Amino acid sequence: MAPEARIKAFLKNSATALCAGVVVLSSFSLGAEAARRHYRSHHHHLPELPAPPPRALPYPQLPLPFEIPGAQYLPLAWADVKGWSDDDHLAAYKTFRASCRTINAQTGAAEPKALAGSLSEPCRAAKSLELTDDAKAKTFFEENFAALRISRLGEPDGFVTGYYEPVLEGSRTQTDVFNVPVYRRPSNLFVRGYKQDSVSLPNKGPVYRKIGRRKLVPYYDRGEIEDGKIAGRGLEIAWLKDPTDLLFAQIQGSARIKFDDGGTVRLNYDAYNGYPYTAVGRILIERGIIPKEEMSMQKIREWMAQTPDGARELRRQNRSYIFFREVNLSDKEEAVGAQGIPLTAGRSIAVDKALHVYGTPFFIEGELPIDSERSKTPFHRLMIAQDTGSAIIGPARADLYFGAGADAGRVSGRLRHPMHFVMLVPKGLDPSVRGAKLPVPDPRPSMKIAKLFPQTDLAKDQAKPAAPAAAVAQGKNDTVAVANPVPLPVPRPVIEPVQEPRRPAKNRPHRQQ
């Protein structure tokens, strides 16, 4: 065979083999696709792929240093705290150290509030500092605390009232003159979560009367107790002349009762009957009996003395009733607050215990009618939270303690005024110091580029008229033209494939069924 003929025969055979290989590969591909379809039709559940690991957050989720519900804060420099330099810081320091003795003596876990644990740091520092100089006391507070303006959310100021320890005449036995009983806590008074012999039960929450071993019902209210529901059980500590004296002793939470023989008994809050406190002064204002601007404790006393029947009905509007316990204090010592230490006249305050921690300093500034009913005496004083009360509710709400006796009662009885509150937060919880430890966020795109090419949603923008190009000032004299918003790219349209007619393959072998 000639060489040309051999080459033609070789090319012809190669082309035939190539075509056969293509047909075999096509058949294999179609068979594999058929096998996949068969598998999907008989196995509805595809094998589950392992889930990707959760993406780690770019920044740590650090808890807030402290949080007081319903409050707003504003960090201040000490130079911006009005009246700070004019106060007697040494007197405040001595009151603070009294609270620190209780804080330093605590064992076990501290309160869940973050402020409770952080107060131990300045208290440890104060334990060994016997300061006698006002300037050093001022420096102590500035070095260990940060000033934080605090008020109720949406309000610029806080609110203060005053309280004192009444000194009353009484008798150890009932007489025709002294016939108003002062009761200690009854044995059938029960509060869930507390033993019946616990000292100083809480002044909020439900209180029950225990009947038998299991039955619990609400305790008697003021009207029922005044009608004699617990009389004759040996609960009487002493007897007073006037039920109004007892009412105000219960409102203040403590009292001194002096007897004819020269003896004195000191009383402190021990429990209440579970009913919320109702301010009798507010009722007299609502009824139009005493104008709001003239309201004071002395006005209430005068009206009750002139209207005995009305006074009885008014007392019963306040269904809350306080039970007392005797405390071993001399006449020279002040009343004991809820923190368990004697209060300091003019430096101790009662706060909302649900929000605050005993021992926290508060600088309170404003004007109060201390010198007289109409006076506006400047008041800028560092006070220490050492007590609480059922009517003291809110982040910037305080009851100022003025001491014992009639003079203190006259001053405290006319206080109902807005004041500025600055809370002293230990440096360990300073929000600005803690914020400096947070990581710096990733850099953002240039603001100029973001304004020139804002990203918009095309579907939403088609329904709105196109906004004309505008100019945005970048500085005092610079103006940059802003282009129309650049729409997002339109998704690629879905195009269905066109089915072409299948041509019969030549020499395709038939599969046997």
Short mmCIF file of all heavy atoms in Angstrom, two decimals, residues 306-331:
data_model
loop_
_atom_site.label_atom_id
_atom_site.label_comp_id
_atom_site.label_asym_id
_atom_site.label_seq_id
_atom_site.Cartn_x
_atom_site.Cartn_y
_atom_site.Cartn_z
N GLN A 306 -57.44 70.20 115.60
CA GLN A 306 -58.71 70.93 115.51
C GLN A 306 -59.85 70.06 115.02
O GLN A 306 -61.02 70.40 115.26
CB GLN A 306 -58.53 72.12 114.56
CG GLN A 306 -57.52 73.15 115.04
CD GLN A 306 -57.18 74.17 113.98
OE1 GLN A 306 -57.74 74.15 112.87
NE2 GLN A 306 -56.25 75.07 114.29
N THR A 307 -59.56 68.93 114.36
CA THR A 307 -60.59 68.08 113.78
C THR A 307 -60.36 66.63 114.20
O THR A 307 -59.84 65.82 113.41
CB THR A 307 -60.59 68.19 112.24
OG1 THR A 307 -60.40 69.55 111.86
CG2 THR A 307 -61.86 67.65 111.63
N PRO A 308 -60.70 66.24 115.44
CA PRO A 308 -60.42 64.87 115.92
C PRO A 308 -61.08 63.79 115.07
O PRO A 308 -60.44 62.77 114.76
CB PRO A 308 -60.95 64.88 117.35
CG PRO A 308 -60.98 66.32 117.75
CD PRO A 308 -61.30 67.08 116.50
N ASP A 309 -62.34 63.97 114.69
CA ASP A 309 -63.02 62.95 113.89
C ASP A 309 -62.40 62.85 112.49
O ASP A 309 -62.21 61.75 111.96
CB ASP A 309 -64.51 63.28 113.78
CG ASP A 309 -65.24 63.15 115.12
OD1 ASP A 309 -64.70 62.43 115.99
OD2 ASP A 309 -66.30 63.76 115.28
N GLY A 310 -62.08 64.00 111.90
CA GLY A 310 -61.42 63.98 110.61
C GLY A 310 -60.03 63.37 110.69
O GLY A 310 -59.58 62.68 109.76
N ALA A 311 -59.34 63.59 111.83
CA ALA A 311 -58.00 63.03 112.00
C ALA A 311 -58.08 61.50 112.07
O ALA A 311 -57.22 60.80 111.50
CB ALA A 311 -57.37 63.58 113.28
N ARG A 312 -59.09 60.97 112.73
CA ARG A 312 -59.24 59.51 112.81
C ARG A 312 -59.47 58.91 111.43
O ARG A 312 -58.86 57.89 111.07
CB ARG A 312 -60.41 59.17 113.75
CG ARG A 312 -60.66 57.68 113.94
CD ARG A 312 -61.77 57.46 114.97
NE ARG A 312 -61.97 56.04 115.22
CZ ARG A 312 -62.77 55.27 114.52
NH1 ARG A 312 -63.46 55.78 113.49
NH2 ARG A 312 -62.91 53.98 114.82
N GLU A 313 -60.33 59.53 110.65
CA GLU A 313 -60.59 59.04 109.30
C GLU A 313 -59.36 59.19 108.40
O GLU A 313 -59.05 58.30 107.59
CB GLU A 313 -61.77 59.81 108.68
CG GLU A 313 -62.23 59.31 107.32
CD GLU A 313 -61.50 59.99 106.18
OE1 GLU A 313 -60.99 61.12 106.38
OE2 GLU A 313 -61.40 59.38 105.08
N LEU A 314 -58.61 60.29 108.58
CA LEU A 314 -57.42 60.52 107.76
C LEU A 314 -56.33 59.50 108.09
O LEU A 314 -55.66 58.99 107.17
CB LEU A 314 -56.90 61.94 108.00
CG LEU A 314 -55.66 62.35 107.19
CD1 LEU A 314 -55.96 62.36 105.71
CD2 LEU A 314 -55.17 63.72 107.63
N ARG A 315 -56.13 59.18 109.36
CA ARG A 315 -55.12 58.18 109.72
C ARG A 315 -55.41 56.84 109.06
O ARG A 315 -54.51 56.15 108.59
CB ARG A 315 -55.08 57.99 111.25
CG ARG A 315 -54.47 59.14 112.01
CD ARG A 315 -54.14 58.71 113.45
NE ARG A 315 -55.27 58.07 114.12
CZ ARG A 315 -56.20 58.70 114.81
NH1 ARG A 315 -56.14 60.03 114.92
NH2 ARG A 315 -57.17 58.05 115.42
N ARG A 316 -56.67 56.48 109.01
CA ARG A 316 -57.04 55.18 108.45
C ARG A 316 -56.88 55.12 106.93
O ARG A 316 -56.89 54.03 106.36
CB ARG A 316 -58.48 54.83 108.86
CG ARG A 316 -58.59 54.57 110.35
CD ARG A 316 -60.03 54.45 110.82
NE ARG A 316 -60.06 54.19 112.25
CZ ARG A 316 -60.55 53.07 112.82
NH1 ARG A 316 -61.05 52.12 112.05
NH2 ARG A 316 -60.53 52.93 114.12
N GLN A 317 -56.75 56.27 106.30
CA GLN A 317 -56.44 56.27 104.87
C GLN A 317 -55.04 55.70 104.62
O GLN A 317 -54.78 55.13 103.57
CB GLN A 317 -56.53 57.69 104.31
CG GLN A 317 -57.93 58.28 104.30
CD GLN A 317 -58.86 57.52 103.35
OE1 GLN A 317 -58.48 57.16 102.24
NE2 GLN A 317 -60.08 57.28 103.82
N ASN A 318 -54.16 55.85 105.61
CA ASN A 318 -52.84 55.24 105.54
C ASN A 318 -52.92 53.90 106.27
O ASN A 318 -52.76 53.80 107.48
CB ASN A 318 -51.80 56.14 106.21
CG ASN A 318 -50.42 55.50 106.25
OD1 ASN A 318 -50.08 54.69 105.40
ND2 ASN A 318 -49.64 55.86 107.25
N ARG A 319 -53.16 52.83 105.53
CA ARG A 319 -53.39 51.51 106.12
C ARG A 319 -52.10 50.89 106.66
O ARG A 319 -52.14 49.90 107.39
CB ARG A 319 -54.03 50.58 105.09
CG ARG A 319 -55.35 51.10 104.54
CD ARG A 319 -55.93 50.17 103.49
NE ARG A 319 -56.38 48.92 104.08
CZ ARG A 319 -56.81 47.88 103.38
NH1 ARG A 319 -56.80 47.93 102.05
NH2 ARG A 319 -57.21 46.77 103.98
N SER A 320 -50.96 51.46 106.31
CA SER A 320 -49.68 50.94 106.79
C SER A 320 -49.53 51.19 108.29
O SER A 320 -49.92 52.25 108.80
CB SER A 320 -48.53 51.60 106.02
OG SER A 320 -47.29 51.17 106.51
N TYR A 321 -48.96 50.22 108.98
CA TYR A 321 -48.78 50.33 110.43
C TYR A 321 -47.40 49.79 110.78
O TYR A 321 -47.00 48.72 110.31
CB TYR A 321 -49.87 49.54 111.17
CG TYR A 321 -49.98 49.84 112.65
CD1 TYR A 321 -50.85 50.80 113.11
CD2 TYR A 321 -49.20 49.15 113.57
CE1 TYR A 321 -50.96 51.08 114.48
CE2 TYR A 321 -49.29 49.41 114.93
CZ TYR A 321 -50.17 50.38 115.38
OH TYR A 321 -50.28 50.66 116.72
N ILE A 322 -46.66 50.53 111.62
CA ILE A 322 -45.29 50.19 111.96
C ILE A 322 -45.23 49.62 113.38
O ILE A 322 -45.85 50.16 114.31
CB ILE A 322 -44.37 51.43 111.87
CG1 ILE A 322 -44.43 52.02 110.45
CG2 ILE A 322 -42.94 51.07 112.24
CD1 ILE A 322 -43.97 51.10 109.37
N PHE A 323 -44.45 48.54 113.53
CA PHE A 323 -44.16 47.96 114.84
C PHE A 323 -42.71 48.29 115.21
O PHE A 323 -41.83 48.30 114.36
CB PHE A 323 -44.37 46.45 114.82
CG PHE A 323 -45.77 46.05 114.44
CD1 PHE A 323 -46.05 45.62 113.15
CD2 PHE A 323 -46.80 46.10 115.35
CE1 PHE A 323 -47.33 45.25 112.78
CE2 PHE A 323 -48.09 45.74 115.00
CZ PHE A 323 -48.37 45.31 113.71
N PHE A 324 -42.48 48.55 116.50
CA PHE A 324 -41.17 48.99 116.97
C PHE A 324 -40.48 47.92 117.80
O PHE A 324 -41.10 46.96 118.26
CB PHE A 324 -41.32 50.27 117.81
CG PHE A 324 -41.76 51.48 117.03
CD1 PHE A 324 -43.09 51.88 117.02
CD2 PHE A 324 -40.84 52.22 116.31
CE1 PHE A 324 -43.49 52.99 116.30
CE2 PHE A 324 -41.23 53.34 115.59
CZ PHE A 324 -42.56 53.72 115.59
N ARG A 325 -39.19 48.14 118.01
CA ARG A 325 -38.40 47.35 118.95
C ARG A 325 -37.57 48.32 119.79
O ARG A 325 -37.21 49.40 119.34
CB ARG A 325 -37.49 46.36 118.22
CG ARG A 325 -36.49 47.01 117.30
CD ARG A 325 -35.70 45.95 116.53
NE ARG A 325 -34.86 46.57 115.51
CZ ARG A 325 -33.62 46.99 115.69
NH1 ARG A 325 -33.06 46.85 116.89
NH2 ARG A 325 -32.94 47.53 114.71
N GLU A 326 -37.28 47.92 121.00
CA GLU A 326 -36.44 48.74 121.87
C GLU A 326 -34.97 48.57 121.49
O GLU A 326 -34.52 47.46 121.18
CB GLU A 326 -36.65 48.33 123.33
CG GLU A 326 -38.06 48.57 123.84
CD GLU A 326 -38.20 48.24 125.31
OE1 GLU A 326 -37.36 48.72 126.12
OE2 GLU A 326 -39.13 47.50 125.67
N VAL A 327 -34.23 49.66 121.52
CA VAL A 327 -32.79 49.62 121.24
C VAL A 327 -32.05 50.23 122.42
O VAL A 327 -32.55 51.14 123.10
CB VAL A 327 -32.45 50.38 119.94
CG1 VAL A 327 -32.98 49.64 118.74
CG2 VAL A 327 -33.00 51.80 119.97
N ASN A 328 -30.87 49.70 122.66
CA ASN A 328 -30.06 50.13 123.80
C ASN A 328 -29.18 51.30 123.40
O ASN A 328 -28.03 51.12 123.01
CB ASN A 328 -29.22 48.95 124.31
CG ASN A 328 -28.49 49.28 125.59
OD1 ASN A 328 -28.88 50.20 126.33
ND2 ASN A 328 -27.42 48.55 125.86
N LEU A 329 -29.73 52.51 123.46
CA LEU A 329 -29.00 53.73 123.11
C LEU A 329 -29.18 54.75 124.23
O LEU A 329 -30.25 54.83 124.84
CB LEU A 329 -29.50 54.32 121.79
CG LEU A 329 -29.23 53.54 120.50
CD1 LEU A 329 -29.94 54.20 119.34
CD2 LEU A 329 -27.73 53.44 120.23
N SER A 330 -28.14 55.53 124.44
CA SER A 330 -28.23 56.61 125.41
C SER A 330 -28.90 57.82 124.76
O SER A 330 -29.07 57.88 123.54
CB SER A 330 -26.84 56.99 125.93
OG SER A 330 -26.08 57.58 124.88
N ASP A 331 -29.25 58.80 125.57
CA ASP A 331 -29.89 60.01 125.04
C ASP A 331 -28.94 60.82 124.17
O ASP A 331 -29.38 61.66 123.38
CB ASP A 331 -30.39 60.88 126.19
CG ASP A 331 -31.63 60.28 126.86
OD1 ASP A 331 -32.23 59.38 126.23
OD2 ASP A 331 -31.97 60.69 127.98
#
